Amino acid sequence: MRGTSLISLFSLSRHRILHSQCRFFNSSASEPSSNKLFIGGLSWSVDEKSLKDAFSSFGDVTEVRIVYDKDSGRARGFGFVIFTNEDDAKSAKDAMDGKALLGRPLRINFALEKARGGPVVVPRFSDNGRFNRH
């Protein structure tokens, strides 16, 4: 019983840390400007053509990419749509976020640039369950 409550406490602490990190990244009053949108909640049946068709009414779409699992080859349920300018991307985000595409509601955010080659900071827990960065 004691092990179970310790695991629950650890999970709760981890959830609070992850939740607070999410709030930290989303806490700015203005969203970052970008012409690249992250599209989450994609149906398994969505392909690049149908995704481009859904977003091309908002402006010139230069690239559409759906992310696939390396091992299984199945879509992972998210992708990216890149517009020629930021205003078109913002219009598409505002209009399509939460709307259904092939039966699934989309979650749309401006894509964050992936840092390559930089150090990776892994959160660690001390003995008392507090979050430390080493």
Coordinates of all heavy atoms in Angstrom, one line a residue, residues 38 42 44 48 65-70 73-80:
F38 N 1.4 24.0 -36.4 CA 1.3 22.6 -35.9 C -0.2 22.2 -36.0 O -1.0 22.9 -35.4 CB 1.8 22.5 -34.5 CG 1.5 21.2 -33.9 CD1 2.3 20.1 -34.1 CD2 0.4 21.1 -33.0 CE1 2.1 18.9 -33.5 CE2 0.1 19.9 -32.4 CZ 1.0 18.8 -32.7
L42 N -5.2 14.9 -36.0 CA -5.5 14.5 -37.4 C -6.1 13.1 -37.4 O -5.6 12.2 -36.7 CB -4.3 14.5 -38.3 CG -3.7 15.9 -38.6 CD1 -2.5 15.8 -39.4 CD2 -4.8 16.8 -39.4
W44 N -6.7 9.4 -39.0 CA -5.8 8.5 -39.7 C -5.9 8.5 -41.2 O -5.0 8.2 -41.9 CB -6.0 7.0 -39.2 CG -5.9 6.8 -37.8 CD1 -6.9 6.3 -36.9 CD2 -4.8 7.1 -36.9 NE1 -6.4 6.3 -35.6 CE2 -5.1 6.7 -35.6 CE3 -3.5 7.6 -37.2 CZ2 -4.3 6.9 -34.5 CZ3 -2.6 7.7 -36.1 CH2 -3.0 7.4 -34.8
E48 N -1.7 14.3 -47.2 CA -1.2 15.6 -47.5 C -2.1 16.5 -48.4 O -2.3 17.7 -48.2 CB 0.2 15.6 -48.1 CG 1.3 15.3 -47.1 CD 1.5 13.8 -46.8 OE1 0.8 13.0 -47.4 OE2 2.3 13.5 -46.0
R65 N 3.1 18.7 -44.3 CA 3.8 17.5 -43.9 C 3.0 16.8 -42.8 O 2.7 17.4 -41.8 CB 5.2 17.8 -43.5 CG 6.1 16.6 -43.2 CD 7.5 16.9 -43.1 NE 7.8 17.9 -42.1 CZ 8.2 17.6 -40.8 NH1 8.4 16.4 -40.4 NH2 8.4 18.6 -40.0
I66 N 2.7 15.5 -43.0 CA 2.1 14.7 -42.0 C 3.3 13.8 -41.4 O 4.1 13.3 -42.2 CB 1.0 13.8 -42.5 CG1 -0.2 14.8 -43.0 CG2 0.5 12.9 -41.5 CD1 -1.3 14.1 -43.6
V67 N 3.3 13.7 -40.1 CA 4.4 12.9 -39.5 C 3.9 11.5 -39.3 O 2.8 11.2 -38.8 CB 4.7 13.5 -38.1 CG1 5.8 12.7 -37.4 CG2 5.2 15.0 -38.3
Y68 N 4.8 10.6 -39.7 CA 4.5 9.1 -39.7 C 5.5 8.4 -38.8 O 6.6 8.8 -38.6 CB 4.7 8.5 -41.1 CG 3.6 9.0 -42.1 CD1 3.9 10.1 -42.9 CD2 2.4 8.4 -42.2 CE1 2.9 10.6 -43.7 CE2 1.5 8.9 -43.1 CZ 1.7 10.0 -43.8 OH 0.8 10.5 -44.7
D69 N 5.0 7.3 -38.2 CA 5.9 6.5 -37.3 C 6.9 5.8 -38.1 O 6.6 5.2 -39.2 CB 5.0 5.5 -36.5 CG 5.8 4.7 -35.6 OD1 6.0 5.2 -34.5 OD2 6.1 3.5 -35.9
K70 N 8.1 5.8 -37.7 CA 9.2 5.2 -38.4 C 9.1 3.7 -38.5 O 9.4 3.1 -39.5 CB 10.6 5.5 -37.8 CG 10.9 7.0 -37.9 CD 12.2 7.3 -37.2 CE 12.5 8.7 -37.2 NZ 13.8 9.1 -36.5
G73 N 4.9 2.9 -40.0 CA 4.5 3.6 -41.2 C 3.2 4.3 -41.0 O 2.7 5.0 -42.0
R74 N 2.5 4.2 -39.9 CA 1.2 4.8 -39.7 C 1.4 6.3 -39.3 O 2.4 6.7 -38.7 CB 0.5 4.1 -38.5 CG -0.1 2.8 -38.9 CD -0.9 2.2 -37.7 NE -1.9 3.2 -37.2 CZ -2.8 3.0 -36.3 NH1 -3.0 1.7 -35.9 NH2 -3.6 3.9 -35.9
A75 N 0.4 7.1 -39.7 CA 0.4 8.5 -39.3 C 0.4 8.6 -37.8 O -0.3 7.8 -37.1 CB -0.8 9.2 -39.9
R76 N 1.0 9.6 -37.2 CA 1.1 9.8 -35.8 C 0.0 10.7 -35.3 O -0.1 11.0 -34.1 CB 2.5 10.3 -35.4 CG 3.5 9.2 -35.6 CD 4.9 9.6 -35.1 NE 4.8 9.9 -33.7 CZ 5.7 10.6 -33.0 NH1 6.8 11.1 -33.6 NH2 5.6 10.8 -31.7
G77 N -0.8 11.3 -36.2 CA -1.9 12.1 -35.8 C -1.7 13.6 -35.7 O -2.5 14.3 -35.2
F78 N -0.5 14.0 -36.2 CA -0.2 15.4 -36.3 C 0.6 15.7 -37.5 O 1.2 14.8 -38.2 CB 0.5 15.9 -35.0 CG 1.9 15.4 -34.8 CD1 3.0 16.1 -35.3 CD2 2.1 14.2 -34.1 CE1 4.3 15.7 -35.1 CE2 3.4 13.7 -33.9 CZ 4.4 14.5 -34.4
G79 N 0.7 17.0 -37.9 CA 1.5 17.4 -39.0 C 1.7 18.9 -39.0 O 1.4 19.6 -38.0
F80 N 2.2 19.4 -40.1 CA 2.5 20.9 -40.2 C 2.0 21.4 -41.5 O 2.0 20.7 -42.6 CB 4.0 21.1 -40.1 CG 4.6 20.6 -38.8 CD1 5.0 19.3 -38.7 CD2 4.6 21.4 -37.7 CE1 5.5 18.8 -37.5 CE2 5.1 21.0 -36.5 CZ 5.6 19.7 -36.4

